[in-house]
Amino acid sequence: MSENCNHDCSSCAENCAEREHNPADFLEKPHPMSHIKKVIGIVSGKGGVGKSLVTSLLAVLERRKGYRSAILDADITGPSIPKAFGIDSKACGTEEGILPERTKSGIDIMSINLLLEDVTDPVVWRGPIIAGTVKQFWTDVIWDDVDFMFVDMPPGTGDVPLTVFQSLPLDGVIIVASPQELVSMIVEKAVKMAQMMNIPILGLVENMSYVKCPDCGKEIKIFGDSHMDEIAKNHHIPLLARVPIDPALASLCDAGEIENFEGDYLDAAALAVEQLLHA
């Protein structure tokens, strides 16, 4: 047991003699009025690789296919989901619980920015408070009739990702990365964390894979050759998508109109998510 132990095993990754519970013992129950079929975590070993973008696009794709999709924005200190969907209203509540905001196409969203007085206010909280807020987004929000909930996780392998892995009943995770060689090492950390927590890895998504020349159509690898194929092979994980750098997509995000995106690069990832319903 660490000398700094606070006896809260749900926020600790150490495997000490004081740990007497199975991982399942830490699972939090959703709100009694919630109905959620599958929960998918979108994770990354480091920030800035486009995890929130992939989360948003997958939610949009599943909604277009007629599924009820939702996003739990667990990135408390760097929330960007509401901006991508053009949501500037505040979440409301009833005596029963908190109600998520709904996008134009019908995607339910809960994010800390829907609760702050000013969206530019920084969230200067310590880890346990942030982790507790994420759990409240699961236990206190009424998620009504959701087929797929996508959890936009903060980067890394610290307190909040650990809280999500232990507290929410994840059916699988998708790991997002960019092509740089340095990122390859970080990706493997995220892979190994999911494996340590016995969470199925649905696959890898490489973002910022290339940019297509608008004149000749040639794919230019801005960050050099990718190493994702090798990582996928080593860990027996499918590489689900290579997402390009697309100025049009960036413009849609800035305008809050991500639901209008066009592209088929995440179709295989969406299919992997849908297969969870038939597993």
Side-chain angles (χ1 to χ4, degrees), residues 17 42 57 85 91 94 105 147 151 155 163-164 185 202 215 226 236-237 243 248 255 270:
I42 310 299
L57 293 179
F85 285 91
T94 67
S105 68
D147 293 311
V151 182
T163 294
V164 174
M185 174 188 66
L202 303 184
D215 296 323
S226 169
H236 308 288
I237 301 169
V243 182

Side-chain angles (χ1 to χ4, degrees), residues 204-226:
L204 303 176
V205 169
E206 183 181 78
N207 188 37
M208 297 182 283
S209 238
Y210 59 89
V211 61
K212 184 171 288 189
C213 175
D215 296 323
C216 67
K218 180 181 179 180
E219 294 183 358
I220 304 170
K221 298 177 181 179
I222 300 294
F223 297 108
D225 291 332
S226 169

Side-chain angles (χ1 to χ4, degrees), residues 181 184 187-188 204 206 226-237 239 242:
E181 184 173 1
S184 301
V187 172
E188 298 215 37
L204 303 176
E206 183 181 78
S226 169
H227 298 270
M228 290 301 108
D229 285 315
E230 181 181 349
I231 295 174
K233 181 179 179 181
N234 289 342
H235 292 280
H236 308 288
I237 301 169
L239 178 57
R242 296 186 190 274

Side-chain angles (χ1 to χ4, degrees), residues 1-273:
M1 179 174 67
S2 168
E3 62 181 6
N4 299 317
C5 180
N6 62 2
H7 303 287
D8 179 11
C9 295
S10 65
S11 64
C12 176
E14 292 192 23
N15 188 21
C16 65
E18 297 296 320
R19 186 184 292 277
E20 300 177 352
H21 302 285
N22 294 321
D25 293 334
F26 298 117
L27 289 177
E28 297 283 348
K29 293 183 179 180
H31 190 283
M33 297 174 65
S34 292
H35 299 89
I36 307 161
K37 293 181 181 177
K38 298 296 178 182
V39 183
I40 303 95
I42 310 299
V43 307
S44 65
K46 67 181 296 296
V49 297
K51 173 177 43 58
S52 296
L53 174 66
V54 172
T55 301
S56 301
L57 293 179
L58 285 173
V60 171
L61 283 174
E62 299 300 0
R63 186 71 192 113
R64 286 180 180 176
K65 295 182 179 183
Y67 294 105
R68 291 293 302 274
S69 56
I71 299 176
L72 189 160
D73 189 357
D75 196 352
I76 302 298
T77 60
S80 57
I81 297 294
K83 169 67 175 177
F85 285 91
I87 298 177
D88 52 16
S89 54
K90 302 303 178 186
C92 300
T94 67
E95 293 182 357
E96 287 80 15
I98 304 171
L99 302 176
E101 284 295 288
R102 184 162 290 178
T103 71
K104 300 179 185 71
S105 68
I107 300 170
D108 288 338
I109 291 177
M110 177 50 64
S111 171
I112 193 65
N113 266 10
L114 302 180
L115 301 175
L116 298 176
E117 183 176 346
D118 189 325
V119 296
T120 62
D121 288 342
V123 178
V124 188
W125 297 345
R126 294 192 182 276
I129 298 177
I130 295 175
T133 301
V134 172
K135 287 197 283 188
Q136 283 186 289
F137 283 176
W138 174 255
T139 60
D140 296 358
V141 174
I142 302 173
W143 300 99
D144 182 33
D145 192 22
V146 173
D147 293 311
F148 300 114
M149 171 179 283
F150 297 96
V151 182
D152 184 15
M153 307 255 276
T157 56
D159 277 352
V160 179
L162 181 60
T163 294
V164 174
F165 276 125
Q166 291 185 324
S167 302
L168 273 61
L170 293 175
D171 295 284
V173 297
I174 291 176
I175 299 174
V176 183
S178 53
Q180 301 99 311
E181 184 173 1
L182 175 62
V183 175
S184 301
M185 174 188 66
I186 307 299
V187 172
E188 298 215 37
K189 290 181 181 291
V191 169
K192 290 178 180 178
M193 181 180 185
Q195 292 172 338
M196 287 172 59
M197 304 301 295
N198 295 318
I199 305 296
I201 302 174
L202 303 184
L204 303 176
V205 169
E206 183 181 78
N207 188 37
M208 297 182 283
S209 238
Y210 59 89
V211 61
K212 184 171 288 189
C213 175
D215 296 323
C216 67
K218 180 181 179 180
E219 294 183 358
I220 304 170
K221 298 177 181 179
I222 300 294
F223 297 108
D225 291 332
S226 169
H227 298 270
M228 290 301 108
D229 285 315
E230 181 181 349
I231 295 174
K233 181 179 179 181
N234 289 342
H235 292 280
H236 308 288
I237 301 169
L239 178 57
L240 298 173
R242 296 186 190 274
V243 182
I245 299 173
D246 186 348
L249 181 55
S251 296
L252 288 174
C253 291
D254 290 341
E257 298 178 354
I258 195 170
E259 288 165 295
N260 296 328
F261 94 96
E262 297 179 2
D264 60 0
Y265 27 80
L266 278 173
D267 285 359
L271 181 59
V273 169

